[in-house]
Amino acid sequence: MHRLLLLLAAGAFVGCTSPLPAVDPQMAWVDFATPSPGGKLLMAERLDNQRLSDGRYFQVTPGSHELRVRFDFEVFGGGPGLMNAPLERLCYLTINYDHFEAGQRYLLEARSIAFTPSARLYNAKREIVAEDRLTNCVM
């Protein structure tokens, strides 16, 4: 019985760490980063209002697209006792960009200042090309 549980657990772990697909040179690729302290999770949620099956990246056709990401982060308290425990926030950020180019890599960076999240989309030259236009936090 223990071997079966160990085998199932190992199989689940391997499935979660599957490699990313090859980059298609006819598409644009969007990577993710959370440089601010407290950033826990940033993942692709929807592309042009269609739910995605793999939230680790966006790979989009050239042109205009709406990207929605899930951003989980912690807000650290400044007081004694329970006020010092981090609070978790779950937010959805929407970014529109009209000029994705085939073969280009972009970086979507999410950060938070206290309870307020934000996201910026950078091109390969590290220039800001878009910022979030809609934020919806549920926690």
Side-chain angles (χ1 to χ4, degrees):
M1 183 66 168
H2 292 290
R3 286 184 183 174
L4 177 61
L5 289 175
L6 183 60
L7 182 61
L8 289 172
F13 179 74
V14 168
C16 292
T17 60
S18 63
L20 291 172
V23 176
D24 183 341
Q26 302 303 312
M27 308 276 272
W29 185 277
V30 181
D31 289 309
F32 301 131
T34 55
S36 62
K40 294 178 69 176
L41 175 73
L42 179 61
M43 64 186 292
E45 187 72 23
R46 292 181 177 272
L47 173 62
D48 300 327
N49 213 23
Q50 298 294 314
R51 194 164 199 48
L52 298 173
S53 60
D54 191 339
R56 298 176 292 170
Y57 64 95
F58 285 108
Q59 189 164 229
V60 301
T61 58
S64 180
H65 293 285
E66 179 181 272
L67 313 176
R68 185 177 310 155
V69 295
R70 174 183 171 164
F71 180 40
D72 294 13
F73 62 97
E74 291 181 332
V75 178
F76 299 95
L82 293 177
M83 294 296 291
N84 203 20
L87 301 171
E88 294 200 13
R89 298 271 291 165
L90 164 63
C91 297
Y92 295 93
L93 307 169
T94 302
I95 299 96
N96 287 323
Y97 184 54
D98 294 332
H99 307 289
F100 282 104
E101 296 179 32
Q104 295 298 307
R105 288 191 88 116
Y106 297 85
L107 177 68
L108 194 142
E109 202 172 80
R111 57 184 67 220
S112 63
I113 297 176
F115 282 86
T116 306
S118 66
R120 292 179 173 169
L121 182 67
Y122 294 91
N123 64 14
K125 296 176 189 172
R126 191 76 176 146
E127 299 167 330
I128 299 171
V129 295
E131 296 186 70
D132 63 289
R133 64 165 185 80
L134 180 64
T135 301
N136 180 23
C137 295
V138 294
M139 296 171 57

